[in-house]
Amino acid sequence: MKKSIYLSLFVILSIMLSCKKVTYIDRIISGLSINNDKAKISALKKIANGRFEQAVPKVIKLLKSSNYKIRKSAIWALEKIKDIRAVDPIITMLKDWNSVVRTYAAEALGRLGQKRAAPFLLKLLDDNNIYVIMNAACSLGYLKYENAIPDLIRLFNHNNVKVRISASWAIGKIGEAAVPKLVAVLEKNCLEYNPNTNTNYLNIKVLNSTIDALVYIGPSIIPKLIGEIVYNRNYEFKANIACAINRMGNKALPFLFKAFKTSLALYRRKTRRANYDDEAWNLRSKISWILAAFKVIKHKNIVKVLFKELFPINRNISLINDFIINTLRVFEAKIVISSFITIYEKSQGNIDVSLIEQFFGIYKDEKYIRGLTIALNCSHEIIRIEAAKILAEMNTEKADT
């Protein structure tokens, strides 16, 4: 009996609450009909925060208001509700006389995610207001509209830095489809530069915006970029592609590691057969550029990977070993020398003496003395001898001066 009473009370209470809720929503929506602009804007904020879909038809009608503040608030509310019925009415607002309304409309269309709005947004890239251009560019990025890539690249030459950043970001959102066009822009810009005469100087705005776009796209494009470095003969172009890779930082490491290991394995196979052709040369170039990126990123995991690939030594690729050893030099001596000792112990002393000499040769400088003292305390005689030899040579040169 008690259970049935409780159940009845619960049902009555639920009905009462639902009635109150309906009354509350209706009361807010009715605020859109009040002949007071502030009341309408207040109602629009509540509708936006509550995501009340029932209000969409009345909110759309407010897009024709003579007050631009009501128009922009209505666009904002429709964006928050995310009802696709609002797409076509908002598209018409892209031609509004007020730049604030156009800005809100451009942003809303990107958030609503309907690609049919993209061609209309594309026209706004020539607007006379930078905020309209910025929001139109960003929305094209949200929509991943590939046809917009040439027009977004055109904005790289815009005088306003915010517009250039928005264009780069938008291309980053569009993704890998933009890479060939970005590479072509970078290549053209670098080819026009003549360092000997300082004529046709690099267009820094375009250059920086292109690099920004590549960085925004992300590290998944690194294999393509490394390929561009290898097969292009223009040094300025190579350096700027490398700059984009370096700016990706630690996120680039997995892709760089993979490219490094694959290229090194192929290079070893080539040189082992004494078949040093153009492909081998390109592989060597690829490895050297990857190592250059490692030098900039300076992540501790790089040391482990380099040591793993350095041993056992292959006499036919001494040049590559030079590249690797010189890359190790940029890392803290203590870490590198400790890793070298660990590798030596694991190899049970099966490392060529010339490689040990070559390795310690890079630390012939006073700033590396602390790192060399670690080697002096090593249990392996050959390592102690090489470290002591380097220290003795430094003392001799100091005494001579």
Side-chain angles (χ1 to χ4, degrees), residues 19-38:
C19 288
K20 280 186 179 181
K21 187 178 180 182
V22 170
T23 306
Y24 172 70
I25 295 170
D26 288 342
R27 191 164 64 247
I28 291 173
I29 294 172
S30 66
L32 300 177
S33 304
I34 297 173
N35 191 23
N36 182 294
D37 289 351
K38 286 186 177 179

Side-chain angles (χ1 to χ4, degrees), residues 89-374:
I90 293 176
I91 287 173
T92 62
M93 303 310 292
L94 295 176
K95 295 180 180 179
D96 195 279
W97 65 267
N98 188 285
S99 61
V100 175
V101 174
R102 295 200 302 278
T103 301
Y104 270 73
E107 182 181 357
L109 289 169
R111 301 283 185 184
L112 289 169
Q114 297 295 309
K115 277 198 174 182
R116 69 175 185 270
F120 301 95
L121 288 166
L122 205 56
K123 294 175 184 177
L124 287 189
L125 296 183
D126 293 315
D127 199 275
N128 57 8
N129 183 282
I130 62 166
Y131 296 101
V132 174
I133 299 171
M134 286 162 57
N135 280 278
C138 291
S139 289
L140 287 165
Y142 278 124
L143 297 173
K144 297 186 183 298
Y145 189 58
E146 293 182 13
N147 291 344
I149 293 170
D151 291 282
L152 290 168
I153 288 174
R154 178 170 53 82
L155 292 180
F156 289 175
N157 212 20
H158 198 280
N159 289 327
N160 189 283
V161 65
K162 291 179 180 178
V163 171
R164 298 198 298 271
I165 291 170
S166 299
S168 298
W169 182 88
I171 287 177
K173 291 292 284 184
I174 292 170
E176 294 188 23
V179 174
K181 288 186 175 66
L182 290 172
V183 168
V185 169
L186 197 61
E187 187 173 22
K188 182 177 182 294
N189 196 25
C190 292
L191 284 173
E192 289 176 352
Y193 171 55
N194 187 340
N196 298 320
T197 60
N198 281 330
T199 55
N200 295 325
Y201 191 71
L202 288 167
N203 187 328
I204 299 301
K205 292 187 294 187
V206 173
L207 186 68
N208 290 340
S209 299
T210 307
I211 292 171
D212 286 344
L214 291 169
V215 173
Y216 282 129
I217 293 171
S220 61
I221 62 171
I222 283 177
K224 289 182 183 177
L225 296 184
I226 291 173
E228 294 294 339
I229 283 176
V230 172
Y231 296 108
N232 195 297
R233 298 300 179 192
N234 186 290
Y235 181 80
E236 289 292 335
F237 174 81
K238 289 172 181 276
N240 285 298
I241 290 285
C243 176
I245 294 171
N246 295 338
R247 278 185 50 195
M248 292 177 196
N250 293 344
K251 291 179 181 178
L253 285 179
F255 300 93
L256 286 171
F257 285 158
K258 185 177 179 181
F260 175 65
K261 291 174 182 178
T262 306
S263 303
L264 194 56
L266 287 170
Y267 186 81
R268 282 176 168 154
R269 204 176 302 145
K270 277 271 177 189
T271 51
R272 194 178 292 128
R273 295 171 183 168
N275 186 20
Y276 198 86
D277 52 14
D278 287 344
E279 188 182 348
W281 174 269
N282 287 331
L283 286 166
R284 196 185 83 173
S285 175
K286 196 174 189 179
I287 292 163
S288 65
W289 280 99
I290 294 169
L291 291 171
F294 284 157
K295 283 183 182 180
V296 176
I297 296 171
K298 290 186 183 178
H299 193 279
K300 60 184 180 181
N301 288 344
I302 293 171
V303 175
K304 296 175 185 176
V305 171
L306 291 177
F307 270 124
K308 188 176 178 183
E309 296 302 326
L310 184 61
F311 305 110
I313 187 170
N314 180 340
R315 292 184 184 278
N316 292 333
I317 60 159
S318 58
L319 188 61
I320 294 297
N321 289 324
D322 288 344
F323 288 164
I324 295 174
I325 287 172
N326 280 304
T327 302
L328 288 166
R329 188 176 184 174
V330 303
F331 297 91
E332 192 181 345
K334 282 184 179 180
I335 296 171
V336 178
I337 291 172
S338 298
S339 299
F340 183 87
I341 292 168
T342 304
I343 290 284
Y344 185 84
E345 287 170 351
K346 285 182 179 179
S347 70
Q348 297 178 341
N350 187 26
I351 293 177
D352 197 290
V353 176
S354 63
L355 184 60
I356 298 172
E357 290 175 354
Q358 190 181 6
F359 173 76
F360 279 102
I362 66 172
Y363 292 110
K364 196 175 177 180
D365 194 302
E366 285 188 11
K367 64 182 177 182
Y368 299 124
I369 287 174
R370 285 188 180 180
L372 290 167
T373 53
I374 294 171

